[in-house]
């Protein structure tokens, strides 16, 4: 029997909503029909005919739009009268009316003292996010003794390195051997600093472990390439070796931090330790075999560049397929995107294997992310009137979803009462709205082609996409529960998600 989803449509002239049950195969057509309806509404309110929205009297009088909290610090977003005048001047040059003026963020606390800022910066590198509530009480004594152990180990490393260099023929002069040892320690020290700095990625090691694992392997090969380049520039050995060690230690952090969650995905029962030990054993055996092969090949003096290119390609290809073969039952942003897109287009949620196989494992830093979750108010909205118009649609939700055309991104703003399921629903809603926006862009491009022989200027605002947001609310109201049910049936864990939302939360309007 084909699964079904309910779509609520308002009856003509009726005060109640009519629920229409659609088969899963018709979900795509339902969304497309809603997009067409929204397009018709949007065209009826074209830019030239738009009636400018006004900020309500109570907001215009008090000036307060909402409060926002980020990491315990609060900001008040208020209507900016001076900015409104500037916006009007800009709008005059584009032939559009100013819609609702502008706003600004006002901090409600005084700036942190410099000492507090420094301590907060240090804490971001040495303790987990949410400390001490995010760890058990035994974490502090364990890390204290661990730090002392590494302190004595680092000190001992200076003497052992100096002794080893003397043993392989470095000058017996105390000055020479000491200088060489110090240079070598500086190289290793730079690597440790890089490892420490990258540890600030924090929960990303849990959220995007596949992406970070593959990126770490890319960095490992980059570091190896820099090390080989020291042969061509021996006078730059120390700075190049330091850079290479920083890069390779960053790669090492990603490897060690993602290793346990990956092994955990394969363990059944309480055998995670055994699975980890055997996995590392297989890795060490393969490493020894590769070392032996490399020693044999190096005797024939092959081209250094050719050998590096061949081995790096093999390493990265193996790493890519290694990461792609991992099957996780949690939904991070990449897998969530795959699941929602499949549901919107076909009415079905992919299986664990299919969802993981379609996940993007390499996200370059310059790649545009069309959806942002837990963003700040100022990033999502362009003018106060847009927020005022959209806010009533989400009175019963613990989030607000909007689209900022200047950044070409859908934003899901979370309220301070938002729980894990609310974050999941906000992300689902954002992707549904994105589907509407993409269809709208296709329609806009068609209109531009039709008006190619005459001037066609369109500078959209949040307000222009209000019909899409309204329609997306109807779709989400009737389909989110169906999506969760289908996802659970496929084995996805819906009780907790790894969507990594931002820390900003809306706190409502200042009470009178």
């Amino acid at each position: 029997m084909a699964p079904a989803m309910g779509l609520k449509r308002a009856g003509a002239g009726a005060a109640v909503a009519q629920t229409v049950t659609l088969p899963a195969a018709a979900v795509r057509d339902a969304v497309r029909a809603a997009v067409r309806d929204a397009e018709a509404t949007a065209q009826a309110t074209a830019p030239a005919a738009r009636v400018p929205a006004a900020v309500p009297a109570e907001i215009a009088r008090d000036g307060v739009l909402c409060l926002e909290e980020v990491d315990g610090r609060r900001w008040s977003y208020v209507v900016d009268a001076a900015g409104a005048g500037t916006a009007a001047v800009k709008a005059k040059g584009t032939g559009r009316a100013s819609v609702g003026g502008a706003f600004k963020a006002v901090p409600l606390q005084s700036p942190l003292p410099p000492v507090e800022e420094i301590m907060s910066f240090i804490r971001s590198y040495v303790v987990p996010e949410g400390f001490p509530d995010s760890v058990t009480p035994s974490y502090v004594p364990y890390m204290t003794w661990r730090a002392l152990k590494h302190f004595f180990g680092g000190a001992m490393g200076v003497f052992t390195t100096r002794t080893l260099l003397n043993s392989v023929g470095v000058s017996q002069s105390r000055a020479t051997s000491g200088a060489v040892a110090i240079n070598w320690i500086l190289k290793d020290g730079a690597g440790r600093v890089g490892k420490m700095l990258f540890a600030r990625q924090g929960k990303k090691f849990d959220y995007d472990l596949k992406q970070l694992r593959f990126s770490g392997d890319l960095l490992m090969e980059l570091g190896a390439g820099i090390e080989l380049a020291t042969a061509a520039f021996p006078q730059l050995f120390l700075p190049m070796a330091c850079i290479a060690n920083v890069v390779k230690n960053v790669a090492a952090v990603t490897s060690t931090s993602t290793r346990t969650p990956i092994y955990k995905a394969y363990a059944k029962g309480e055998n995670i330790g055994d699975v980890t030990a055997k996995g590392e054993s297989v890795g060490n055996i393969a490493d020894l075999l590769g070392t032996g092969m490399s020693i044999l090949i190096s005797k024939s003096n092959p081209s250094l560049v050719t050998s590096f290119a061949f081995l790096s390609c093999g390493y990265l290809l193996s790493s890519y397929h290694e990461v792609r073969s991992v099957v996780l039952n949690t939904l991070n942003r990449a897998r969530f995107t795959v699941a929602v897109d499949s549901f919107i287009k076909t009415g079905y949620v992919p299986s664990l294997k299919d969802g993981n196989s379609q996940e993007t494992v390499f996200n370059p830093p310059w790649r545009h992310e069309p959806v942002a979750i837990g963003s700040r108010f100022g990033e999502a909205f362009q003018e106060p009137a847009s927020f005022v118009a959209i806010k009533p649609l989400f009175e019963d939700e613990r989030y607000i979803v909007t689209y900022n055309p200047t950044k070409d991104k859908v934003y899901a703003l979370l309220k301070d009462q938002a729980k894990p399921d609310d974050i999941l629903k906000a992300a689902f809603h954002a992707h549904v709205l994105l589907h509407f926006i993409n269809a709208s862009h296709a329609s806009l491009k068609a209109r531009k082609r039709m008006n190619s022989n005459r001037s066609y200027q369109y500078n959209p605002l949040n307000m222009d996409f209000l019909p899409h947001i309204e329609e997306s609310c109807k779709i989400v109201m009737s389909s989110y529960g169906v999506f969760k049910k289908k996802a659970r049936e496929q084995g996805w864990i819906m009780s907790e998600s790894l969507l990594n939302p931002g820390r900003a939360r809306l706190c409502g309007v200042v009470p009178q």
Side-chain angles (χ1 to χ4, degrees):
M1 180 178 178
M5 65 167 279
L7 178 63
K8 294 185 179 179
R9 295 182 180 275
V16 296
Q18 178 186 5
T19 301
V20 182
T21 302
L22 300 175
V27 174
R28 175 179 58 187
D29 296 333
V31 174
R32 287 181 174 175
V35 171
R36 287 195 297 270
D37 294 342
E39 280 298 317
T41 305
Q43 290 179 9
T45 58
R50 183 193 295 110
V51 178
V55 178
E58 63 273 14
I59 293 181
R61 180 181 66 252
D62 300 329
V64 179
L65 289 168
C66 68
L67 295 180
E68 181 182 72
E69 182 174 328
V70 184
D71 293 334
R73 296 184 62 80
R74 288 194 171 193
W75 280 263
S76 173
Y77 284 88
V78 299
V79 176
D80 184 7
T86 304
V89 173
K90 292 182 178 179
K92 184 177 180 181
T94 60
R96 286 167 52 92
S98 175
V99 184
F103 58 83
K104 62 181 179 180
V106 179
L108 298 182
Q109 295 100 346
S110 58
L112 289 175
V115 175
E116 187 79 16
E117 290 278 5
I118 294 173
M119 292 304 297
S120 177
F121 178 78
I122 294 174
R123 282 194 295 268
S124 68
Y125 284 101
V126 298
V127 296
E129 292 182 24
F131 178 86
D133 299 329
S134 61
V135 294
T136 62
S138 60
Y139 177 82
V140 173
Y142 168 76
M143 292 307 300
T144 301
W145 288 111
R146 180 176 172 82
L148 284 172
K149 180 187 73 173
H150 281 274
F151 170 80
F152 290 113
M156 180 60 70
V158 175
F159 296 97
T160 57
T161 300
R162 180 175 177 179
T163 302
L164 288 171
L165 290 173
N166 287 336
S167 300
V168 296
V170 176
S171 172
Q172 295 295 321
S173 168
R174 293 182 59 185
T176 302
S177 62
V180 173
I182 289 173
N183 284 344
W184 201 264
I185 296 301
L186 285 175
K187 174 182 76 70
D188 290 344
R192 293 190 179 96
V193 170
K195 183 186 292 187
M196 179 191 69
L197 294 178
F198 195 70
R200 200 184 186 191
Q201 294 293 323
K203 290 185 178 180
K204 281 190 176 182
F205 292 118
D206 300 306
Y207 297 140
D208 301 319
L209 63 91
K210 291 186 185 181
Q211 291 76 8
L212 284 174
R213 183 63 173 263
F214 184 67
S215 298
D217 288 335
L218 286 173
L219 289 175
M220 183 67 74
E221 291 308 290
L222 175 61
I226 296 174
E227 285 181 336
L228 291 176
T230 58
F233 306 97
Q235 69 277 13
L236 298 176
F237 169 80
L238 184 58
M240 292 182 69
C242 288
I243 294 173
N245 233 28
V246 168
V247 173
K248 294 183 74 172
N249 274 273
V250 167
V253 170
T254 64
S255 177
T256 55
S257 300
T258 58
R259 183 182 301 142
T260 300
I262 290 176
Y263 283 137
K264 186 178 179 180
Y266 294 111
K268 288 186 176 181
E270 300 298 325
N271 63 336
I272 179 63
D274 187 33
V275 172
T276 302
K278 297 307 188 294
E280 294 305 294
S281 177
V282 170
N284 289 330
I285 292 172
D287 187 86
L288 289 172
L289 292 175
T291 301
M293 183 200 71
S294 180
I295 292 173
L296 293 175
I297 294 177
S298 64
K299 291 181 179 180
S300 60
N301 293 322
S303 169
L304 188 62
V305 175
T306 303
S307 300
F308 175 74
F310 173 77
L311 296 174
S312 289
C313 288
Y315 180 87
L316 293 177
L317 182 63
S318 301
S319 172
Y320 179 77
H321 286 288
E322 173 199 16
V323 172
R324 288 293 297 269
S325 66
V326 177
V327 178
L328 301 173
N329 58 0
T330 52
L331 289 169
N332 67 348
R333 290 199 183 191
R335 293 187 291 277
F336 186 81
T337 299
V338 171
V340 176
D341 286 349
S342 175
F343 179 77
I344 291 175
K345 295 174 182 176
T346 67
Y348 294 92
V349 175
S351 64
L352 294 180
K353 183 177 180 181
D354 292 339
N356 279 268
S357 65
Q358 297 175 47
E359 178 184 3
T360 302
V361 298
F362 178 61
N363 292 322
W366 56 86
R367 180 179 179 179
H368 174 67
E369 293 293 341
V371 173
I373 307 170
S375 304
R376 300 199 61 176
F377 182 90
E379 298 173 346
F381 288 97
Q382 297 169 278
E383 68 289 321
S386 295
F387 171 70
V388 172
I390 293 172
K391 182 181 177 182
L393 299 175
F394 298 93
E395 288 293 343
D396 297 329
E397 302 292 351
R398 293 173 177 172
Y399 65 87
I400 295 176
V401 171
T402 186
Y403 173 72
N404 190 332
T406 61
K407 299 179 180 179
D408 191 24
K409 184 177 291 190
V410 175
Y411 289 91
L413 282 70
L414 303 175
K415 299 181 182 179
D416 56 352
Q417 313 96 332
K419 293 179 172 56
D421 186 67
D422 300 306
I423 297 174
L424 199 67
K425 187 176 182 180
F428 178 81
H429 197 149
H431 282 278
V432 171
L433 178 58
L434 180 65
H435 185 85
F436 281 77
I437 298 301
N438 290 338
S440 174
H441 286 341
S443 175
L444 180 60
K445 290 179 180 178
R447 291 205 301 270
K448 283 184 177 181
R449 286 195 296 268
M450 293 174 59
N451 292 272
S452 58
N453 296 329
R454 51 185 170 173
S455 175
Y456 187 83
Q457 188 174 10
Y458 181 40
N459 301 307
L461 298 171
N462 298 85
M463 290 284 292
D464 299 317
F465 298 91
L466 184 60
H468 299 319
I469 299 174
E470 291 174 343
E471 292 297 328
S472 70
C473 289
K474 298 176 185 177
I475 295 292
V476 171
M477 183 184 300
S478 58
S479 62
Y480 176 62
V482 179
F483 168 75
K484 285 178 51 177
K485 179 182 177 183
K486 296 302 171 188
R488 288 195 186 97
E489 290 174 353
Q490 292 295 343
W492 296 103
I493 295 178
M494 304 300 291
S495 58
E496 58 179 283
S497 62
L498 302 176
L499 300 180
N500 191 20
R503 300 191 182 108
R505 298 293 183 269
L506 297 181
C507 305
V509 178
V510 179
Q512 298 299 321

